[in-house]
Amino acid sequence: MATIEIDKVSKVYHGNVPAVSEVDISIADGEFIVLVGPSGCGKSTLLRMVAGLETISSGTVRIGGRVVNDVEPADRDIAMVFQNYALYPHMTVRENLAYGLKNRRTPKPEIEARVAEAARMLELGPYLDRKPRALSGGQRQRVAMGRAIVRQPSAFLFDEPLSNLDAKLRVSMRGEIKRLQRRVGTTSLYVTHDQLEAMTLADRLVVLSGGRIEQIGRPLDVYHAPASTFVASFIGSPAMNLVQGELHGSRLAIGPALIDLGKAVPTQGAVTVGFRAEDLQVAAPGGTAGHVGTMPLRVDYVEELGSQRLVHGTVGDQTVTVALGADAPLSGEMPVAVPIGRLHFFDAETGRRLAWSSVEAHRTTTAADLLEIAR
Ligand SMILES: Nc1ncnc2c1ncn2[C@@H]1O[C@H](COP(=O)(O)OP(=O)(O)OP(=O)(O)O)[C@@H](O)[C@H]1O
Ligand SMILES: [Mg+2]
């Protein structure tokens, strides 16, 4: 096992705009880091530079304290699992698992022991003598994982290993990857564009946009305090509501709604306001109590998810989504309320989070806020 240090790493392909710009990530021994971001943001490029499959334009990559910029991929002591994990079709599962070790001239008894151990962990025992074509997609994926595990590398690098699987299988494989990584404790760098996969797998996640880091943090910290409107709209489903507002003293105007924040805010004038769909409730009849801001929502349409209903509508001319309980009462126009502490503020120009942190606020006022909404 090993630490991975990515220090001011950049990649410029053929003199074009940089694909990765000055990325700093320090990965602890045994940590599971997920790189997440939209298509083209540089995730694979960064991973491939760590793997040694892509040259590093500038900066340094260290694995286990050793600078590996000029070290061949095979000598970096890492194992990769790709989206297209191409198993050797003419080999059995056992031979597929053993192949890399054989190539490295590992002694036969050692190979057998490691293959047996990986097969046990991944529950591949019954399939060891089958060819890949006689396996389901999920089983093949497990063989691909097994090939990485038998190597006992100091780090795993994953590039969207689950994206070829159907939705249900992805969820179960996600669980297996997490369980496995817990068990073997190997440092892992995992690439996905799926924010849910990132949230559920990561010890810490790294949100990338346009080759740059937007935010690094533990999933719930990122969820509760997104560093920018980009992160706010990328992490969490449905995406955080982002609307334009105006701050005057301690008052916030969002379209027709006027919300008393109860305290001064370190900025005035135009601001981007964020609030999550699940933090909105149908406002109690008879107006609002203390720490709640109310907005009139004109309902456009409702999505029934079974466990909840997503109500899509507008406040003034800005779209807002509200997640309500499955049996919440609906009407064409209804007041919705959000606890003041659950409001996020972002600079209207740059999109960066503003200091009046809703996180501290909501951690101390949650219970009171909920009571007030329930009243
Ligand atoms: N070999 C290459 N030559 C030139 N440009 C490239 C090359 N590989 C990637 N790029 C560009 O670099 C940027 C980052 O690509 P990269 O493959 O790292 O994105 P990604 O985040 O992995 O996206 P995806 O989620 O679609 O896999 C993109 O703009 C891409 O077009
Ligand atoms: Mg990619």
Side-chain angles (χ1 to χ4, degrees):
M1 284 196 284
T3 58
I4 301 177
E5 276 149 74
I6 298 169
D7 191 8
K8 294 241 172 323
V9 165
S10 300
K11 176 71 185 183
V12 184
Y13 286 109
H14 317 301
N16 287 334
V17 272
V20 171
S21 301
E22 307 244 312
V23 164
D24 287 317
I25 310 171
S26 185
I27 306 176
D29 192 13
E31 197 175 19
F32 199 120
I33 293 280
V34 178
L35 293 175
V36 64
S39 184
C41 72
K43 306 179 293 291
S44 296
T45 300
L46 185 55
L47 194 81
R48 292 167 59 81
M49 285 193 282
V50 175
L53 301 173
E54 204 70 73
T55 57
I56 298 169
S57 302
S58 63
T60 315
V61 173
R62 288 188 192 79
I63 300 177
R66 173 175 71 135
V67 176
V68 295
N69 284 42
D70 299 319
V71 175
E72 288 295 315
D75 299 326
R76 292 191 184 196
D77 195 21
I78 41 125
M80 283 197 77
V81 184
F82 296 100
Q83 174 179 358
N84 298 311
Y85 39 84
L87 304 175
Y88 299 107
H90 57 289
M91 292 184 192
T92 63
V93 168
R94 187 192 309 280
E95 289 162 345
N96 265 286
L97 291 174
Y99 185 74
L101 296 178
K102 249 185 206 158
N103 265 356
R104 286 180 168 71
R105 304 189 194 290
T106 311
K108 209 166 167 210
E110 169 90 25
I111 295 181
E112 278 168 13
R114 289 204 205 173
V115 168
E117 170 67 6
R120 192 185 56 75
M121 270 199 266
L122 292 162
E123 292 167 24
L124 285 169
Y127 315 110
L128 281 172
D129 296 312
R130 287 200 202 169
K131 301 264 173 70
R133 67 166 176 276
L135 299 177
S136 72
Q139 289 159 350
R140 279 181 219 173
Q141 185 58 43
R142 292 207 311 255
V143 178
M145 295 274 300
R147 281 198 309 202
I149 290 171
V150 294
R151 296 258 316 277
Q152 301 183 345
S154 55
F156 290 133
L157 306 179
F158 299 94
D159 194 348
E160 311 234 15
L162 306 184
S163 51
N164 281 349
L165 305 178
D166 68 52
K168 200 166 168 216
L169 202 50
R170 287 178 73 122
V171 174
S172 76
M173 281 304 298
R174 203 164 75 200
E176 276 186 57
I177 288 179
K178 187 77 182 170
R179 204 169 326 127
L180 202 72
Q181 200 267 350
R182 282 270 152 80
R183 186 130 29 119
V184 296
T186 307
T187 312
S188 298
L189 187 54
Y190 186 107
V191 161
T192 181
H193 63 269
D194 180 340
Q195 60 87 23
L196 190 59
E197 215 167 283
M199 287 291 286
T200 51
L201 281 174
D203 292 326
R204 283 187 303 153
L205 49 85
V206 179
V207 185
L208 283 177
S209 164
R212 292 184 183 277
I213 293 183
E214 284 277 324
Q215 188 167 11
I216 302 186
R218 289 181 302 175
L220 284 183
D221 292 341
V222 173
Y223 181 84
H224 287 304
S228 63
T229 49
F230 176 85
V231 178
S233 57
F234 195 77
I235 298 291
S237 177
M240 183 185 281
N241 292 297
L242 291 171
V243 297
Q244 295 314 310
E246 285 276 338
L247 284 164
H248 299 288
S250 62
R251 294 190 154 224
L252 168 68
I254 299 174
L258 201 56
I259 295 172
D260 186 1
L261 300 175
K263 62 174 174 178
V265 188
T267 188
Q268 294 288 293
V271 70
T272 301
V273 185
F275 43 88
R276 296 213 177 267
E278 61 272 27
D279 287 336
L280 288 160
Q281 302 273 336
V282 179
T288 58
H291 291 284
V292 182
T294 313
M295 293 169 266
L297 180 79
R298 186 189 301 270
V299 177
D300 289 332
Y301 64 102
V302 179
E303 288 178 302
E304 299 286 2
L305 301 184
S307 60
Q308 55 176 197
R309 40 174 51 142
L310 294 183
V311 181
H312 301 272
T314 50
V315 170
D317 56 359
Q318 310 195 78
T319 60
V320 166
T321 298
V322 185
L324 297 176
D327 47 9
L330 293 175
S331 51
E333 210 156 315
M334 55 198 216
V336 292
V338 58
I340 299 303
R342 302 277 176 122
L343 293 173
H344 305 252
F345 293 102
F346 303 94
D347 188 295
E349 304 263 298
T350 65
R352 302 308 296 177
R353 183 181 190 80
L354 293 171
W356 189 58
S357 163
S358 65
V359 182
E360 286 88 62
H362 95 237
R363 290 216 170 123
T364 52
T365 58
T366 299
D369 288 338
L370 289 178
L371 275 177
E372 275 176 19
I373 287 175
R375 254 181 226 149

